[in-house]
Amino acid sequence: MENQAQLPSGQRAVKRFIYYAALGVPEVDLNDYRFKVSGLVEREMSYDYKDLISMIDVDYKRDFHCVTGWSVLNVDWKGIRLSTLLSRSVPKPEAKWVLFYSLDGYTTTVPLEEVKREDSILVLYMNGKPLTLEQGFPARPFFPTLYGWKSAKWVTSMELVKDYVDGYWEERGYHERGDVWQEERFKGLWGRHSKKRPIL
């Protein structure tokens, strides 16, 4: 396990996740659930949960970093490379950003080049088990080098767009990209994050 010296600046290791639900925990009906890839792509695609399970192509251990300053180390993530989903839909040249939408109405924006990274995935399993509802079941994106607010729980779609659009937390001052190692916590600002009470 990594020690504190290997953590990104401003982070501390904790043993367990602190779960947040800024807009409340939604109900999930797998009979209706679809994950869609849309926007500036050659082929819009829609996948049900069974489709996603059949496409799993990555299983690795990576750390999870929350912008509030805590990190969980050596988490086992299992899912689909987002680059696999992108290759099926074929992004158009003008696409630069990806908007992620969730069942609860939450949104977040990620640069397309981050989504294309080989270690950027759509998570279906965590630590050997399907995601629980509080963890974001049925699926959530995960970007090892970005803060956790970009890992939108209960995700239903990703839309490729040309121009940047604020998501839920970006609208409230969080950084457009959110790189952990660059401490991109806020737009044009540095410093401590104000503590938020977790909602379970």
Side-chain angles (χ1 to χ4, degrees):
M1 182 172 285
E2 294 183 45
N3 60 40
Q4 295 282 357
Q6 294 172 303
L7 284 169
S9 179
Q11 299 297 116
R12 71 187 187 284
V14 299
K15 292 183 178 180
R16 297 181 181 87
F17 281 84
I18 301 170
Y19 294 108
Y20 302 91
L23 300 174
V25 178
E27 293 184 4
V28 176
D29 183 348
L30 279 186
N31 292 320
D32 294 332
Y33 178 80
R34 298 292 184 275
F35 179 77
K36 299 177 181 179
V37 182
S38 63
L40 295 175
V41 293
E42 297 296 337
R43 291 188 297 274
E44 294 196 353
M45 301 290 289
S46 177
Y47 306 92
D48 63 23
Y49 187 65
K50 290 182 179 178
D51 292 333
L52 296 176
I53 291 294
S54 71
M55 293 170 62
I56 289 173
D57 60 2
V58 64
D59 186 350
Y60 62 37
K61 289 186 183 293
R62 296 289 190 280
D63 302 337
F64 180 94
H65 305 290
C66 181
V67 70
T68 59
W70 57 266
S71 299
V72 179
L73 307 182
N74 293 320
V75 181
D76 183 34
W77 308 91
K78 186 175 180 180
I80 308 161
R81 287 185 175 86
L82 290 169
S83 60
T84 299
L85 296 169
L86 288 174
S87 67
R88 285 177 164 226
S89 288
V90 188
K92 293 183 178 180
E94 60 266 34
K96 302 298 180 187
W97 296 88
V98 181
L99 269 167
F100 288 88
Y101 298 87
S102 298
L103 280 170
D104 61 344
Y106 181 89
T107 57
T108 193
T109 308
V110 180
L112 179 58
E113 63 263 26
E114 296 287 347
V115 179
K116 286 181 174 180
R117 288 172 56 108
E118 282 298 295
D119 58 358
S120 296
I121 70 173
L122 185 68
V123 177
L124 300 169
Y125 286 74
M126 185 187 295
N127 292 326
K129 298 177 181 179
L131 293 172
T132 64
L133 186 59
E134 67 180 357
Q135 291 169 341
F137 177 83
R140 66 187 297 177
F142 173 61
F143 310 94
T145 60
L146 304 184
Y147 286 111
W149 91 81
K150 299 292 187 178
S151 180
K153 293 186 284 188
W154 315 296
V155 72
T156 58
S157 64
M158 60 180 188
E159 178 188 10
L160 278 69
V161 297
K162 178 181 178 180
D163 299 315
Y164 172 82
V165 179
D166 275 340
Y168 179 84
W169 284 117
E170 292 85 8
E171 190 176 54
R172 289 157 175 79
Y174 282 29
H175 197 275
E176 295 89 343
R177 181 175 61 171
D179 186 284
V180 170
W181 298 98
Q182 300 297 319
E183 278 202 273
E184 293 175 341
R185 300 176 192 267
F186 309 106
K187 294 175 180 176
L189 297 174
W190 293 72
R192 294 176 63 87
H193 185 282
S194 59
K195 292 184 179 179
K196 302 289 184 182
R197 181 176 64 86
I199 303 172
L200 302 181

